Amino acid sequence: MAQDVTSQILDALAETEEPVLSAEKFSSIPSTTIKAGLDRLGSRDMVTYAAIDREEYVLTQEAEDIAAQGSHEARVFEAVKQMEGLKITDLPSKVGKDSAKIGQGKAFKEKWIVKDGDTLRTNVQLLVWDVAQVESIRDTTQEELQTIQKTRTHPDTKVIQALRKRKLLTPKKVIAYKFSKGPKYAREFVKEETDLTADMIASGAWKTVKLKPYNFNAKGAITPTGALHPLNKVRREFRQIFFEMGFEEMPTNRFVETGFWNFDALFVPQQHPARDIQDTFYISDPARADKPREDTKELKHLAAGTLVQPEKTEHNPQDYEDYWNNVKEVHANGKYGSIGYRYRWDENEALRLVLRTHTTTTSTWMLHKLAKNPHPVRYFSIDRVFRNESVDATHLAEFHQVEGVIADYGLDLGGLIGFMRVFFHKMGIDNLRFKPAYNPYTEPSMEIFSYHEGLKKWVEIGNSGMFRPEMLEPMGLPSNLRVYGWGLSLERPTMIKYGVKNIRELLGHKVDLNFVESNPAVRLEKD
């Protein structure tokens, strides 16, 4: 049970009309206990007080020894003086190894001893100028430490600095309180009741008892609640931007995909470096899947986030076997005006299971569904993808990809650039540059850069392009239906908005829950 010091505080004030310092009057009582007593009296206007922060210094174990037995240099001097000359090799056995090592140099510096061959001798003549010989020295280090040991400080700040440099002192922050009598000061503290009970009413005791007044300024207890992760806050902002621009959210619950949907359907050749085991996580059991086929159950994500069964409409029933053969043909021999890659396309490679490396697999699946009834659409997705990356401050083996897709007739590169400017403006990013790039499944392709005011340089913020006919026409989409595609990571804008420098502090087992709970909501278009 905590100590009640209210009576002691009131007694201390009764002895004087001047303010009282808790560090002087109650040096042995913890400051938290003093604070509790002052709060209790202050809430009743019996005392007024103010906190005083100050720094004290505590002696280290080495300093405690010096304060008790003298400094290293003084011990060396006394040993040399006592022996009337002492061999250097014998010094550690007389004063100790540490004192010999530290004290010898300092004693030379103070000119207390001199070296005579391999022997140390005293040189007391230099200690006091007007006396030829003295019998002792003044150990100022010991005196200074004894002063600090008693007062926890020293009037000379240079002494403090010198002793801290020698690692003889440890600073300690101390909170003290200066308090004085309040307008309702009384020598005796009357206990106040906090509750009006039925017994008080029945006995009439409520008429004489002193009730504690309500403190309407007191802070209520913090109620534990859940909190959105910063990534979810930024994700919600992105979703709102997409919905404002008329996009529909794609289902992204397939973390495991076949190489066909992840690579081949996107016109990524089977020899592409991205398909190496150094870049992609492959599933070992089962290692392969069946060929593409119609899903037994299809769910559609609505803007409100609810799931409903889609309307059953049959426009052009899809032939997955025909799609499979079209993809194979466009890779191996070329088709739809393309010469293809002209290599032997391996069906087993296309059926290997992988952790998806991008959410473009979902975009491909949705565009293939669109071939049933081709018409203008706007899709987006935000979800996890996986890469076989070395983990460091800016890379993880899993991260989130933000992706958008627009399908319409008559689209061109200028329209894509214009749309990118509008899209990033809604995120608060206006200063953009576009650089030609290469992607197997888009042509033309562009990297998107923005000027970072903090870093004072252009940084890449996304990738974009127009999907190739070799990707779209095997699905059964008409040749005049063009598709924009672009993507960026969710982590990078989140790190910028929340000032996170290490991505491992944002996602993974090293995330601080206090960071999650205390960070505010975010508006992408606001600084």
Side-chain angles (χ1 to χ4, degrees), residues 226-242:
L228 283 176
H229 191 282
L231 279 173
N232 280 334
K233 294 176 183 177
V234 176
R235 179 179 183 273
R236 188 166 58 179
E237 276 293 300
F238 270 112
R239 292 181 78 239
Q240 188 60 37
I241 289 173
F242 278 116

Side-chain angles (χ1 to χ4, degrees), residues 201-244:
I201 296 174
S203 64
W206 62 273
K207 297 177 181 179
T208 56
V209 75
K210 186 173 180 62
L211 294 171
K212 183 180 179 180
Y214 280 107
N215 182 4
F216 293 101
N217 296 320
K219 294 182 179 180
I222 297 176
T223 303
T225 60
L228 283 176
H229 191 282
L231 279 173
N232 280 334
K233 294 176 183 177
V234 176
R235 179 179 183 273
R236 188 166 58 179
E237 276 293 300
F238 270 112
R239 292 181 78 239
Q240 188 60 37
I241 289 173
F242 278 116
F243 291 144
E244 287 175 359

Side-chain angles (χ1 to χ4, degrees), residues 115-400:
K115 188 176 179 182
D116 183 13
D118 62 349
T119 303
L120 299 174
R121 301 187 185 280
T122 61
N123 191 14
V124 296
Q125 291 89 347
L126 296 177
L127 294 177
V128 182
W129 293 347
D130 58 344
V131 179
Q133 296 280 332
V134 295
E135 295 299 324
S136 62
I137 59 170
R138 182 180 177 184
D139 191 352
T140 54
T141 301
Q142 183 183 34
E143 292 175 358
E144 291 164 354
L145 288 173
Q146 287 174 342
T147 300
I148 295 171
Q149 194 175 39
K150 294 176 182 177
T151 63
R152 299 296 179 112
T153 189
H154 196 280
D156 190 346
T157 56
K158 292 183 178 180
V159 170
I160 296 288
Q161 294 173 358
L163 294 175
R164 286 190 66 181
K165 190 174 181 181
R166 292 179 63 179
K167 298 182 179 179
L168 296 176
L169 298 179
T170 302
K172 180 182 178 183
K173 187 177 180 180
V174 176
I175 300 176
Y177 297 94
K178 183 178 182 180
F179 55 93
S180 55
K181 294 177 181 177
K184 296 183 180 180
Y185 171 79
R187 181 67 180 268
E188 184 180 356
F189 180 78
V190 179
K191 183 181 177 182
E192 296 173 327
E193 298 294 339
T194 57
D195 296 307
L196 181 64
T197 65
D199 291 340
M200 291 181 186
I201 296 174
S203 64
W206 62 273
K207 297 177 181 179
T208 56
V209 75
K210 186 173 180 62
L211 294 171
K212 183 180 179 180
Y214 280 107
N215 182 4
F216 293 101
N217 296 320
K219 294 182 179 180
I222 297 176
T223 303
T225 60
L228 283 176
H229 191 282
L231 279 173
N232 280 334
K233 294 176 183 177
V234 176
R235 179 179 183 273
R236 188 166 58 179
E237 276 293 300
F238 270 112
R239 292 181 78 239
Q240 188 60 37
I241 289 173
F242 278 116
F243 291 144
E244 287 175 359
M245 302 182 77
F247 282 75
E248 178 183 345
E249 189 167 16
M250 296 183 283
T252 55
N253 55 345
R254 295 183 177 182
F255 286 2
V256 177
E257 287 283 6
T258 61
F260 178 83
W261 287 111
N262 198 78
F263 296 118
D264 295 275
L266 276 72
F267 199 52
V268 178
Q270 293 182 345
Q271 301 86 0
H272 195 280
R275 302 180 75 150
D276 292 342
I277 197 169
Q278 291 87 355
D279 295 300
T280 301
F281 290 110
Y282 284 89
I283 306 299
S284 59
D285 186 20
R288 287 176 173 79
D290 298 332
K291 288 184 179 181
R293 62 176 184 269
E294 188 73 37
D295 288 348
T296 56
K297 187 177 183 180
E298 183 182 17
L299 293 177
K300 179 182 177 183
H301 282 249
L302 297 181
T306 57
L307 295 172
V308 299
Q309 293 291 346
E311 297 178 4
K312 294 183 178 180
T313 57
E314 290 292 337
H315 296 280
N316 299 312
Q318 291 180 296
D319 187 341
Y320 279 83
E321 186 64 28
D322 187 49
Y323 181 39
W324 172 270
N325 291 329
N326 286 341
V327 171
K328 176 181 179 179
E329 186 68 17
V330 80
H331 275 256
N333 302 310
K335 201 173 181 181
Y336 311 107
S338 170
I339 63 173
Y341 293 116
R342 291 178 288 183
Y343 68 97
R344 183 180 177 183
W345 190 75
D346 186 355
E347 293 188 1
N348 289 326
E349 180 68 24
L351 296 178
R352 292 180 69 184
L353 287 171
V354 301
L355 287 177
R356 67 181 179 203
T357 60
H358 48 195
T359 52
T360 314
T361 58
T362 302
S363 302
T364 307
W365 184 80
M366 291 294 290
L367 289 171
H368 179 246
K369 294 290 183 186
L370 182 65
K372 291 181 181 180
N373 178 28
H375 62 280
V377 294
R378 293 187 174 195
Y379 294 140
F380 83 93
S381 64
I382 307 172
D383 212 334
R384 292 196 182 196
V385 296
F386 308 87
R387 306 274 177 88
N388 195 356
E389 299 263 14
S390 297
V391 176
D392 57 29
T394 57
H395 296 86
L396 289 176
E398 59 177 301
F399 57 96
H400 294 77

